[in-house]
Amino acid sequence: MYKNIIRPILFLFSPEAIHNLIFIAFKIASVVPGLKWLVGRIYCSNSKSTEVEVCGIKFPNRVGLAAGLDKNADAFEMFGKLGFGFVEVGTVTPKAQPGNPKPRVFRLKKDRALINRMGFNNQGVHHMVKKLKKAKRSVIVGGNIGKNKVTPNTEAISDYIFSFRKLHHYVDYFVVNVSSPNTPNLRELQDKEPLTQLLAALKLENNKLNSTKPIFLKIAPDITNAHLDDIIDIVGATKIDGIVATNTTIERSGLSYSDEHVKSLGAGGLSGTPLTSRSTEVIKYLVDKSNGSIPVIGAGGIMTAQDALDKLNAGASLVQLYTGFIYEGPGLIKQINKLLDEQYKS
């Protein structure tokens, strides 16, 4: 029904218009008596075989919503009712910011892909804290944190620490986003020295708060194996808990559209099917080189249940959807959980 009826209607409108419409619909659905319960009955997996513990957190299933859809923690409860085992909110920055000029999201339908250059548009960490504080949470929530666009890289640590402190009591784990291609110079923070300093500072802050909240690092798919080796060393040295692999890519090779058309869309991160293989390669490399010592959340190009299984077979402990959810709808979550239920029962 979603792919044949709902999606063709939704795709008549701009991606951001549909995003806003869906969030309005979620808000209405959340106050209609019994509707959240009904949605949960349809989509949520109740199988014990899909449960898993990662970094001390017991997840009801391995399928999460990646950061970028629920930027302000406005709809995480409703996403939980659609079957997600966890929801990552953000990326959030200390201060509210509008992000990059519109239009900034583009569909590549023939490739089942998106290009986005949102630029960390969000209402700021104080808004997010209010949302999380008010909610009666029934879903695991991760907080994805970044720096404000106007903050120079030399002062980035203070931005990450600020959001970390504010969110600490209201999320179950953190993801440090230094890999978005849509904030100028942000990816420079993935270099060995600044990344080590940033992660060490966050780990120290976690210790000061007498906390064991897991901290994950989200990395780009466009880095070399040598750089991945550095990241494995940094994770070991700073003793953070894991890696999210991967963010969107700046690569444009192998697309079905002409170079002229792709160039006309401008800069941004590419997600969806073109990212499937590379993100799985990165997961496998990280797991193999670290001898499985680093938990990895697999993200990037999960468009089918088999894609999710491939990432888990490559060594990921959990997986996350974004573009696959947009193209395939909530039925994809159910399909993945059904396949994993069959795999882990046998």
Side-chain angles (χ1 to χ4, degrees):
M1 180 178 176
Y2 177 83
K3 288 197 289 184
N4 295 326
I5 299 174
I6 298 174
R7 187 179 72 186
I9 296 172
L10 294 179
F11 277 21
L12 293 173
F13 303 91
S14 74
E16 282 203 67
I18 293 307
H19 180 274
N20 296 334
L21 181 63
I22 287 172
F23 272 67
I24 292 170
F26 278 5
K27 188 173 182 179
I28 295 169
S30 67
V31 297
V32 175
L35 189 53
K36 281 172 69 175
W37 174 86
L38 179 60
V39 172
R41 288 280 294 177
I42 294 170
Y43 289 108
C44 288
S45 169
N46 296 315
S47 173
K48 293 292 183 184
S49 65
T50 60
E51 293 179 354
V52 64
E53 183 171 328
V54 179
C55 297
I57 301 174
K58 292 183 179 179
F59 293 85
N61 66 65
R62 292 169 168 81
V63 188
L65 178 68
L69 273 178
D70 196 1
K71 291 177 178 293
N72 298 299
D74 290 325
F76 58 91
E77 284 288 344
M78 202 65 199
F79 281 117
K81 296 299 181 185
L82 290 174
F84 286 111
F86 59 107
V87 175
E88 198 168 298
V89 295
T91 298
V92 68
T93 54
K95 297 176 182 178
Q97 59 181 30
N100 293 320
K102 299 178 182 178
R104 52 194 180 181
V105 188
F106 308 91
R107 301 184 189 101
L108 299 175
K109 296 179 188 176
K110 289 187 283 188
D111 293 303
R112 295 200 300 163
L114 296 173
I115 291 174
N116 95 81
R117 52 173 174 272
M118 299 297 286
F120 289 174
N121 58 308
N122 73 102
Q123 295 182 46
V125 73
H126 291 290
H127 172 88
M128 180 175 283
V129 167
K130 287 180 184 177
K131 288 286 186 176
L132 292 166
K133 202 172 183 179
K134 282 168 47 179
K136 296 178 180 178
R137 287 208 281 120
S138 60
V139 63
I140 292 166
V141 176
N144 187 300
I145 56 177
K147 79 172 188 71
N148 279 110
K149 183 177 181 179
V150 296
T151 303
N153 281 359
T154 53
E155 299 173 21
I157 289 177
S158 61
D159 270 18
Y160 286 92
I161 291 288
F162 185 87
S163 294
F164 187 89
R165 287 174 180 163
K166 294 296 180 184
L167 284 175
H168 191 266
H169 293 296
Y170 306 105
V171 298
D172 299 294
Y173 70 91
F174 283 93
V175 174
V176 182
N177 190 348
V178 292
S179 54
S180 170
N182 303 318
T183 296
N185 306 317
L186 181 73
R187 286 189 170 190
E188 292 175 7
L189 294 176
Q190 291 183 118
D191 292 344
K192 193 164 189 176
E193 185 176 348
L195 185 58
T196 301
Q197 291 174 353
L198 171 59
L199 296 180
L202 288 169
K203 186 67 177 179
L204 179 61
E205 189 65 28
N206 212 20
N207 293 339
K208 286 180 181 177
L209 293 166
N210 295 315
S211 169
T212 56
K213 288 269 171 83
I215 301 172
F216 289 81
L217 169 68
K218 190 165 189 174
I219 64 171
D222 308 308
I223 55 183
T224 64
N225 286 350
H227 198 164
L228 290 174
D229 291 339
D230 285 343
I231 284 172
I232 290 169
D233 291 341
I234 292 166
V235 169
T238 60
K239 295 182 170 29
I240 68 159
D241 300 272
I243 297 171
V244 179
T246 64
N247 212 318
T248 56
T249 180
I250 57 175
E251 275 291 317
R252 296 292 190 267
S253 58
L255 297 175
S256 302
Y257 297 81
S258 68
D259 290 344
E260 290 75 15
H261 176 72
V262 174
K263 286 179 183 177
S264 73
L265 301 179
L270 177 69
S271 61
T273 301
L275 188 53
T276 305
S277 295
R278 176 56 185 164
S279 62
T280 305
E281 287 172 4
V282 172
I283 292 164
K284 182 168 173 45
Y285 188 90
L286 291 169
V287 173
D288 288 350
K289 290 289 283 191
S290 69
N291 294 315
S293 63
I294 301 173
V296 176
I297 300 176
I302 299 176
M303 311 299 288
T304 67
Q306 186 61 49
D307 291 337
L309 184 60
D310 289 345
K311 282 177 168 48
L312 292 168
N313 287 340
S317 301
L318 303 164
V319 294
Q320 290 179 324
L321 309 181
Y322 182 104
T323 306
F325 177 71
I326 291 170
Y327 274 88
E328 303 299 320
L332 177 58
I333 312 162
K334 194 168 185 177
Q335 291 165 19
I336 295 171
N337 280 322
K338 183 180 178 182
L339 178 60
L340 299 185
D341 185 29
E342 294 168 355
Q343 291 288 317
Y344 292 113
K345 269 183 180 175
S346 57

